[in-house]
Amino acid sequence: MKNISATLAIVWRIAAPYFRSEDKWAGRGLLAAVVAMELALVAIDVLVNQWQNRFYSALQNSDWDAFVTQIWIFVALASTYIALAVYKLYLNQWLQIRWRQWLTRHYLGEWLAGSTHYRMQLKGDAADNPDQRITEDVKNFVEQTLTIGLGLLSSIVTLFSFVIILWGLSNAAPLRLFGTDVMIPGYLCWGALIYAIFGTALTHWIGSPLVNLNFEQQRYEADFRFNLVRVRENSEQIALLRGEGAERARLLDRFGFVIANWYGIMSRTKRLTAFTASYQQAAVLFPYVLVAPAFFAKKIQLGDMMQTASAFSSVQGALSFFVTAYRSLAEWRSIVARLDGFEMSVASAVNLPAHEPAITLEVAGRHVDLAQLCVNLPNGTPLVAAKAFTIQAPERVLVTGPSGSGKSTLFRAIAGIWPFGTGTVVVPEKAKLMMLPQRPYFPLGMLRDAVVYPAASGAFEATQVRDALIAVGLPDLAERLAEDGHWNRMLSLGEQQRLGLARALLHAPDYLFLDEATASLDEPSEARLYRLLAEKLPQATIVSIGHRSTLDAFHTRKVTLVKDGAIHVVGGERAAAEPSAAR
């Protein structure tokens, strides 16, 4: 019971915000219409149950006129039922897509806001494969929540509607045992209740492991799919290393978890299906066994017996909702658990600065100042420390040091996406910062959109984009702005770095941080591009990470991070520093 109440609390937490959102009136209206139609369908079931008595009684009595009348009544009921069923499905699907649209936008906003997606990876939180959470799990949550919720509502209303009918029929058709009438008020209702309790208990006992099995199946499937995507993204390196055999073995190993867990689902589903199918088939015959003695004793007519069987079936079906929907409920609970894990992971990443010592970002002053800054690894190990390091505008600073000394991590801290550590990073108000890594990112789509990213497609004129591409040495690409492609895969790393610098020329940031952003270019090309930046962005402050001695000529200051983590300033002011462990 505790698990059920916890699951329902999570469902309410996930579902309720939509019905309080800006789309609440449409959502509430559609939900009300669907619920009303569901109730109307139950009402028609009640009318059909009463119709069965009159119809079969007309057959037993050979009453032709009554038979024809009941045929026309059935046509009217069936037509109404079909119309309601069609529009209930239509409105249900309309509600599903609106709800899913809002929930997807909500989760995307939470996941992408404030570098939360990046912090989730840094912390290694339990929400694996957020892409699956936002796509498959959101879709299945909306669909199954409505299906199960409406099914449960229908069962409750059906139970209260038919139990009254069945109670009256129980008194009209007394229980007959060994030729003797036994008066047990509402015995058909008690029979349906006992039968449903027995079936529900056994179903839960047999099927409860399916919840965890379904949860694990989704995790294994997502992990296998993720590794397939990784192979596709790194196909060139795998081919160069002749790593196909190793990748095949690794992928089959992960697929083995999918197969093994699926066999577990198969075994448990077989047992559950065997029981539920037997349970449902026995339920067809059970009411006839109870009322047949009264029928053969001429206590009731054929119409009474058929109406009793129909009402018993409705009551028993309503009471057995958890038996018939158990597999769906198991899948639904695993979906709810995964979305709950995703929300908890997002909340943990968002609240990271509030619950742990963290680097704070402050907007003030005229320069970038690192005040009493200590940059740590996620496990708390100190990486870089500086007491009072300032980057003044518009100077050129070269940051060097051995691999693992924390140069790139220092850039991440300045950008405000690395929370681990203590101290403050002060950035001038309204200053535009741009970080160019060694391997720049380009979204799939038109080349023009890839170059101007993260700005909108129309933020720059086509001529501006072409001029920038020509300036960085990519005249061939200047005529392909409307071409779609996977540019990170289609272009060499050197071309990607030139494209990244074209992006910088267009955005003209106040502070440009180059994290080995020209390392794949030859030295003459690198020199030309640095001169281009000096010419096109004369007021920009440029901070570079690099190892080539030729870069010294393009910078006014050189900062060296030694292996012990201390910052040393060469050729200008000297920053106080503290030693810390190296990465």
Side-chain angles (χ1 to χ4, degrees):
M1 182 63 68
K2 185 180 293 185
N3 290 336
I4 295 174
S5 61
T7 299
L8 292 177
I10 295 170
V11 171
W12 176 258
R13 193 188 71 229
I14 295 173
Y18 168 66
F19 294 97
R20 294 194 294 260
S21 69
E22 65 282 357
D23 198 41
K24 62 183 178 182
W25 295 117
R28 293 176 184 179
L30 287 169
L31 181 61
V34 170
V35 169
M37 290 182 177
E38 188 70 47
L39 297 179
L41 290 174
V42 174
I44 291 178
D45 285 337
V46 172
L47 295 175
V48 169
N49 176 263
Q50 296 171 350
W51 170 86
Q52 284 182 316
N53 191 327
R54 297 191 300 270
F55 178 76
Y56 285 104
S57 294
L59 288 176
Q60 186 178 22
N61 298 329
S62 301
D63 189 339
W64 171 256
D65 292 335
F67 173 79
V68 172
T69 300
Q70 296 307 313
I71 290 293
W72 284 110
I73 292 175
F74 179 80
V75 169
L77 291 174
S79 300
T80 305
Y81 187 95
I82 292 170
L84 287 171
V86 168
Y87 278 96
K88 189 197 80 167
L89 176 61
Y90 177 77
L91 295 180
N92 189 314
Q93 291 177 332
W94 194 2
L95 175 58
Q96 284 182 36
I97 198 62
R98 294 184 74 102
W99 190 358
R100 181 187 175 188
Q101 182 183 35
W102 183 89
L103 199 55
T104 299
R105 288 178 174 174
H106 171 70
Y107 278 150
L108 281 176
E110 293 288 325
W111 182 51
L112 294 176
S115 304
T116 299
H117 57 100
Y118 179 67
R119 293 183 179 183
M120 288 169 64
Q121 289 188 350
L122 292 177
K123 285 183 63 66
D125 280 336
D128 56 319
N129 302 294
D131 54 308
Q132 185 185 24
R133 304 289 166 265
I134 298 174
T135 54
E136 292 183 24
D137 287 341
V138 166
K139 172 182 177 296
N140 292 334
F141 171 79
V142 170
E143 181 179 344
Q144 294 199 25
T145 298
L146 285 174
T147 300
I148 292 171
L150 290 172
L152 180 60
L153 174 66
S154 177
S155 295
I156 293 173
V157 176
T158 297
L159 175 63
F160 283 102
S161 300
F162 281 94
V163 76
I164 298 173
I165 297 173
L166 194 60
W167 191 281
L169 291 170
S170 299
N171 297 330
L175 179 63
R176 191 171 179 83
L177 295 175
F178 307 109
T180 304
D181 291 343
V182 180
M183 299 304 298
I184 301 177
Y187 74 93
L188 290 172
C189 297
W190 299 117
L193 178 62
I194 293 170
Y195 189 79
I197 291 174
F198 169 77
T200 301
L202 277 181
T203 299
H204 181 66
W205 178 67
I206 296 170
S208 57
L210 278 174
V211 176
N212 288 331
L213 285 170
N214 280 311
F215 184 92
E216 292 299 319
Q217 187 68 22
Q218 288 294 329
R219 187 167 68 88
Y220 292 140
E221 294 277 8
D223 184 59
F224 178 59
R225 183 169 57 247
F226 175 76
N227 279 272
L228 286 171
V229 172
R230 287 281 296 162
V231 171
R232 185 186 67 191
E233 290 178 344
N234 297 279
S235 58
E236 180 181 357
Q237 296 180 45
I238 293 170
L240 289 172
L241 294 171
R242 299 291 189 267
E244 289 82 1
E247 289 298 326
R248 183 176 185 275
R250 188 172 60 84
L251 289 170
L252 288 177
D253 181 58
R254 294 183 179 275
F255 187 61
F257 291 108
V258 176
I259 297 301
N261 196 75
W262 184 255
Y263 278 130
I265 292 176
M266 287 172 55
S267 175
R268 187 58 56 173
T269 303
K270 179 183 71 175
R271 300 177 197 176
L272 182 62
T273 303
F275 174 74
T276 54
S278 302
Y279 176 86
Q280 291 169 358
Q281 291 302 313
V284 175
L285 192 61
F286 190 62
Y288 292 104
V289 173
L290 290 176
V291 299
F295 172 74
F296 287 112
K298 308 298 183 181
K299 298 286 185 178
I300 58 173
Q301 288 191 318
L302 177 62
D304 296 319
M305 185 172 71
M306 299 305 294
Q307 184 184 12
T308 300
S310 175
F312 183 92
S313 177
S314 296
V315 171
Q316 178 270 327
L319 289 170
S320 304
F321 171 77
F322 292 101
V323 175
T324 55
Y326 197 88
R327 282 188 61 191
S328 298
L329 285 167
E331 294 176 2
W332 180 64
R333 283 187 63 187
S334 66
I335 291 167
V336 171
R338 289 195 297 273
L339 286 178
D340 178 51
F342 176 73
E343 286 195 348
M344 293 300 100
S345 182
V346 168
S348 175
V350 169
N351 296 326
L352 178 61
H355 296 297
E356 299 180 19
I359 298 170
T360 58
L361 189 64
E362 182 180 329
V363 178
R366 300 175 58 188
H367 309 291
V368 172
D369 292 318
L370 312 183
Q372 299 292 339
L373 182 67
C374 181
V375 181
N376 299 338
L377 293 176
N379 61 9
T381 303
L383 183 61
V384 179
K387 285 186 178 178
F389 177 64
T390 301
I391 303 173
Q392 297 182 353
E395 68 177 340
R396 306 288 195 264
V397 180
L398 176 61
V399 180
T400 63
S403 298
S405 59
K407 302 182 297 296
S408 298
T409 308
L410 179 61
F411 273 24
R412 297 183 189 114
I414 295 172
I417 67 171
W418 189 269
F420 306 105
T422 58
T424 304
V425 175
V426 179
V427 177
E429 188 176 2
K430 298 182 180 179
K432 292 169 56 180
L433 276 67
M434 175 174 280
M435 300 279 172
L436 287 186
Q438 185 174 5
R439 184 180 293 274
Y441 165 73
F442 301 105
L444 301 179
M446 288 196 304
L447 176 61
R448 177 176 176 176
D449 295 343
V451 177
V452 304
Y453 180 87
S457 179
F460 299 95
E461 299 291 337
T463 54
Q464 291 178 280
V465 181
R466 290 193 187 95
D467 290 344
L469 291 175
I470 293 171
V472 298
L474 296 173
D476 293 340
L477 292 180
E479 304 305 321
R480 299 167 60 184
L481 295 183
E483 182 179 333
D484 282 339
H486 190 325
W487 301 105
N488 282 107
R489 184 182 300 168
M490 295 168 61
L491 301 178
S492 69
L493 186 53
E495 290 174 317
Q496 292 177 44
Q497 291 182 343
R498 289 177 184 269
L499 212 59
L501 290 172
R503 177 184 291 167
L505 293 179
L506 288 169
H507 286 273
D510 300 306
Y511 289 84
L512 178 61
F513 293 82
L514 306 176
D515 186 357
E516 299 191 67
T518 58
S520 295
L521 299 172
D522 58 86
E523 291 182 3
S525 297
E526 184 179 59
R528 283 195 296 271
L529 289 172
Y530 266 96
R531 285 192 289 268
L532 176 67
L533 290 175
E535 175 189 346
K536 298 292 187 180
L537 304 175
Q539 298 303 315
T541 300
I542 298 177
V543 185
S544 306
I545 292 176
H547 297 283
R548 292 174 179 169
S549 59
T550 52
L551 291 175
D552 292 356
F554 304 102
H555 298 84
T556 57
R557 262 208 306 161
K558 186 175 182 179
V559 176
T560 301
L561 275 66
V562 298
K563 196 64 176 179
D564 66 357
I567 299 178
H568 297 274
V569 180
V570 179
E573 66 182 57
R574 185 174 291 274
E578 296 177 351
S580 64
R583 179 172 57 184

